[in-house]
């Protein structure tokens, strides 16, 4: 087994997602501890184009395949190729983002190569010959330390936004993999992809988020949040209460059963601050809450607490920002 750390890179339009840069950052720290390298794997069209960006975040080598099968087919080809690479390179750990795709691939990979799998990872600590994972459980109320035993390889699903991408410039060498997929991996093919309205906004990547909750009272007031978000270059999020009421699509939900976000600024508007909401946003750099209840739990973790009626405060805030931008 080597001290190398492997990272599976999720791509968007040929570029690594922010979560891939987070993984590269933690992988660089882990690899440095054991004197190993960071090997990233990017699969799909224009995957080699991700090398420059990944190199800036500590990746030593980018292994790519631009075979169209990675665009057309579901998990099987990814698992097949990753299993081969895990056997060839014998890394200490393989890191995935704890996303829908990451979970699909990582679980199958771990089963295929007999690795230990840990999900919900919020921290990773190198210990020479192995890596310990800190896993967030029970809605973020407990953090457990998990050690992979009786398996040579640890496969870790790392929560988006658990790490902040940090540049440690290298120039990632690109190696194009010689991969010819067999028929056995051509099982399920993607048919039609429908983008749900609002899905285009990637909350996980947004640096400013304005979220609304039950306090909005209906779908229409979300227009107020959209106007505010548009002025400050933000995305619109929501509590589960607002999503369950059908006021806004699920893609916007922040929290335990929604997205985990880590923006520079998170504005919680008409959201009480239930623990299941907090676990999805509590690591935001700055939290501003607008709530008419001075005892709302959200104020316990907010940097700025605005007590008042959101229907007065939000339009006034948007107008003031517009005025200052115009000045
Ligand atoms: C297993 C499980 C998973 C869950 N996952 C999630 C999750 O992922 N995300 C999530 O958000 N929740 C989740 N929940 C639900 C969570 O427990 C809360 O019910 C939910 O977050 C409440 O949403 P809310 O804050 O919008 O509503 P409420 O708790 O009803 O709060 C509304 C707030 O609006 C304020 N308000 C009302 N009118 C105004 C006004 N005019 N101006 C200013 N403020 C006003 C009120 O004072 C109140 O604080 C989950 C629950 C369970 C059991």
């Amino acid at each position: 087994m080597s001290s190398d750390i492997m990272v599976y890179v999720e791509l968007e339009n040929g570029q690594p997602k922010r979560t891939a840069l987070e993984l590269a950052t933690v992988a660089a720290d882990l690899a440095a501890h054991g004197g190993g390298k960071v090997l990233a794997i990017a699969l799909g069209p224009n995957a080699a184009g991700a090398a420059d960006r990944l190199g800036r975040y500590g990746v030593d080598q980018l292994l790519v395949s631009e075979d169209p099968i990675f665009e057309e087919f579901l998990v099987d080809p990814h698992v097949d190729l990753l299993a081969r690479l895990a056997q060839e390179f014998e890394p200490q750990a393989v890191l995935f983002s704890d996303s829908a795709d990451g979970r699909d691939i990582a679980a199958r990979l771990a089963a295929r190569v007999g690795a230990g799998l840990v999900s919900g990872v919020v921290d990773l600590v190198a210990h020479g010959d192995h890596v310990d994972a800190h896993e967030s459980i029970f809605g973020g109320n407990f953090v457990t330390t998990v050690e992979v035993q009786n398996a040579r390889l640890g496969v870790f699903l790392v929560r988006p936004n658990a790490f902040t991408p940090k540049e440690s410039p290298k120039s990632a060498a690109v190696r194009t993999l010689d991969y010819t997929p067999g028929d056995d991996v051509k099982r399920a093919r993607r048919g039609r992809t429908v983008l749900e309205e609002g899905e285009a906004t990637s909350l996980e990547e947004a640096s400013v988020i304005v979220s609304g909750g039950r306090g909005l009272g209906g779908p229409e007031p979300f227009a107020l949040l959209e106007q505010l978000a548009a002025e400050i270059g933000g995305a619109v999020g929501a509590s589960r209460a607002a999503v369950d009421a059908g006021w806004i699509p699920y893609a916007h939900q922040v929290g335990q059963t929604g997205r985990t976000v880590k923006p520079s600024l998170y504005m919680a508007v008409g959201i009480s601050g239930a623990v299941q909401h907090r676990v999805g946003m509590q690591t935001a750099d700055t939290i501003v809450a607008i709530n008419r209840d001075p005892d709302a739990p959200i104020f316990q973790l907010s940097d700025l607490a605005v007590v008042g009626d959101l229907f007065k405060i939000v339009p006034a805030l948007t107008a003031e920002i517009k005025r200052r931008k115009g000045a």
Side-chain angles (χ1 to χ4, degrees), residues 214 239-240 253-257 270 272 276-277 291 309-310:
R214 203 188 327 253
S239 72
R240 177 162 159 181
Q253 185 179 316
V254 173
Q256 184 186 332
T257 43
S272 62
Q276 295 91 351
H277 188 80
N291 198 304
D309 183 356
L310 71 91

Side-chain angles (χ1 to χ4, degrees), residues 8-17 20 42-48 50 54:
Y8 175 75
V9 175
E10 289 188 29
L11 297 172
E12 197 165 47
N13 304 322
Q15 281 304 307
K17 287 190 176 179
L43 307 174
N46 308 318
L54 290 166

Side-chain angles (χ1 to χ4, degrees), residues 212-281:
R214 203 188 327 253
L216 269 71
E220 296 81 13
F222 270 94
L224 297 176
L225 303 195
E226 276 157 21
Q227 286 155 15
L228 174 57
E231 284 305 319
I232 54 180
V236 174
S239 72
R240 177 162 159 181
V243 170
D244 283 354
W247 300 344
I248 185 163
Y250 169 72
H252 296 263
Q253 185 179 316
V254 173
Q256 184 186 332
T257 43
R259 315 278 162 144
T260 303
V261 298
K262 194 178 186 301
S264 315
L265 172 64
Y266 187 87
M267 297 185 71
V269 182
I271 292 177
S272 62
V275 64
Q276 295 91 351
H277 188 80
R278 292 159 72 138
V279 295
M281 45 64 76

Side-chain angles (χ1 to χ4, degrees), residues 159-207:
R159 283 261 174 98
N161 293 310
F163 297 94
T164 304
K166 192 177 74 206
E167 295 203 21
S168 52
K170 289 181 182 165
S171 74
V174 178
R175 182 177 135 192
T176 303
L177 300 164
D178 183 17
Y179 177 65
T180 312
D183 285 343
D184 57 329
V185 298
K186 295 179 183 170
R187 292 192 185 108
R189 187 177 207 139
R190 195 165 274 132
R192 201 164 58 101
T193 303
V194 179
L195 192 65
E196 191 183 343
E197 201 185 338
E199 190 82 36
T201 318
S202 174
L203 279 185
E204 276 135 356
E205 313 255 323
S207 61

Side-chain angles (χ1 to χ4, degrees), residues 72-313:
E72 292 169 27
F73 283 84
L74 301 183
V75 286
D76 288 315
H78 295 77
V79 177
D80 186 46
L81 180 53
L82 280 159
R84 292 183 198 197
L85 295 174
Q87 271 145 10
E88 179 185 339
F89 289 93
E90 298 193 317
Q92 198 174 37
V94 187
L95 313 186
F96 289 86
S97 170
D98 200 340
S99 63
D101 283 351
R103 284 191 288 273
D104 259 2
I105 302 169
R108 287 170 169 83
L109 172 69
R112 179 83 63 91
V113 300
L117 176 72
V118 188
S119 61
V121 171
V122 291
D123 200 7
L124 289 160
V125 184
H127 287 290
D129 63 340
H130 71 279
V131 172
D132 277 353
H134 294 172
E135 182 191 21
S136 172
I137 58 167
F138 297 130
N141 283 329
F142 295 92
V143 174
T144 54
T145 302
V146 184
E147 188 183 331
V148 172
Q149 281 195 332
N150 301 326
R152 297 222 322 263
L153 176 65
V155 174
F156 301 102
L157 282 157
V158 180
R159 283 261 174 98
N161 293 310
F163 297 94
T164 304
K166 192 177 74 206
E167 295 203 21
S168 52
K170 289 181 182 165
S171 74
V174 178
R175 182 177 135 192
T176 303
L177 300 164
D178 183 17
Y179 177 65
T180 312
D183 285 343
D184 57 329
V185 298
K186 295 179 183 170
R187 292 192 185 108
R189 187 177 207 139
R190 195 165 274 132
R192 201 164 58 101
T193 303
V194 179
L195 192 65
E196 191 183 343
E197 201 185 338
E199 190 82 36
T201 318
S202 174
L203 279 185
E204 276 135 356
E205 313 255 323
S207 61
V208 174
I209 296 176
V210 183
S211 273
R214 203 188 327 253
L216 269 71
E220 296 81 13
F222 270 94
L224 297 176
L225 303 195
E226 276 157 21
Q227 286 155 15
L228 174 57
E231 284 305 319
I232 54 180
V236 174
S239 72
R240 177 162 159 181
V243 170
D244 283 354
W247 300 344
I248 185 163
Y250 169 72
H252 296 263
Q253 185 179 316
V254 173
Q256 184 186 332
T257 43
R259 315 278 162 144
T260 303
V261 298
K262 194 178 186 301
S264 315
L265 172 64
Y266 187 87
M267 297 185 71
V269 182
I271 292 177
S272 62
V275 64
Q276 295 91 351
H277 188 80
R278 292 159 72 138
V279 295
M281 45 64 76
Q282 62 197 1
T283 59
D285 295 340
T286 302
I287 298 171
V288 175
I290 302 173
N291 198 304
R292 68 180 177 192
D293 173 7
D295 297 321
I298 192 76
F299 288 146
Q300 289 162 11
L301 75 159
S302 53
D303 299 284
L304 179 64
V306 184
V307 180
D309 183 356
L310 71 91
F311 292 99
K312 290 190 183 138
I313 293 164

